[in-house]
Amino acid sequence: MKYSDCPEHEVQIRIAAPPATVWPWVLDIGLPARFSTEFDGAEWVGCTEPSVGAKFVGHNTHPAFGSWETTSFVTGLEPERLFAWAVSDVDRPSSSWRFELTSDGEGTILRQGVRIGPARSGLSFAIDKMPEKEERIVERRIREFQTNMLATVEGIKSLAEADET
């Protein structure tokens, strides 16, 4: 798997709560910091709630990459269904992220997904230094994303199910 392939990954979990209960947790852009080993938080820029085109700044820390900030732009917003954003540039993001909610009658299937690229990111610098290891670098990054996305959806599940009791 190469960076130029714009690899994608998705995790999902079933939550014993309706989408209306899960939705506010998904929209809280700072919430994943409670569960992630990399994401440190975020704040809206020029607004207090999401709308398509709204932007927020995210703060991250990684042992190999150090600390950095990114500006993200909301690209999809369908209440109780979809919250999506692009990092750095809407038309050519360094990554794209999304939460999708689907009612299954009595609960919610929550998915979180990521697509790397097509624009360069911090990962590109590691690949530049070790091009012969590109596939291993990309696969490792996807595994890191998977770990943090699973922790996030499990955290949202715990919070949303606690709201229902």
Side-chain angles (χ1 to χ4, degrees), residues 17-164:
T21 300
V22 178
W23 184 244
W25 296 112
V26 166
L27 285 185
D28 182 348
I29 59 170
L31 180 76
R34 292 169 61 176
F35 311 108
S36 175
T37 62
E38 181 174 320
F39 180 68
D40 297 326
E43 62 273 341
W44 292 105
V45 177
C47 64
T48 56
E49 59 185 55
S51 61
V52 172
K55 66 181 176 177
F56 61 92
V57 173
H59 310 277
N60 302 278
T61 306
H62 187 281
F65 303 123
S67 297
W68 72 98
E69 291 183 350
T70 59
T71 300
S72 295
F73 302 87
V74 176
T75 56
L77 186 67
E78 298 174 34
E80 299 180 18
R81 278 200 65 239
L82 173 72
F83 178 44
W85 63 97
V87 179
S88 302
D89 186 282
V90 172
D91 297 321
R92 192 166 165 76
S94 57
S95 61
S96 302
W97 295 82
R98 72 188 182 288
F99 282 105
E100 295 178 64
L101 295 80
T102 306
S103 174
D104 71 354
E106 296 186 21
T108 303
I109 304 299
L110 175 62
R111 293 176 185 84
Q112 184 178 15
V114 63
R115 177 180 182 245
I116 297 174
R120 291 175 60 84
S121 70
L123 191 58
S124 303
F125 298 106
I127 294 167
D128 290 348
K129 290 180 181 179
M130 300 174 283
E132 72 283 0
K133 296 181 180 179
E134 178 177 6
E135 291 186 14
R136 285 194 346 217
I137 292 168
V138 170
E139 288 172 13
R140 180 175 182 187
R141 191 67 175 133
I142 292 288
R143 281 195 310 271
E144 290 173 338
F145 284 160
Q146 177 182 7
T147 297
N148 283 312
M149 290 189 308
L150 279 171
T152 297
V153 297
E154 288 168 354
I156 291 171
K157 172 185 173 76
S158 177
L159 293 165
E161 289 180 350
D163 280 354
E164 284 297 292

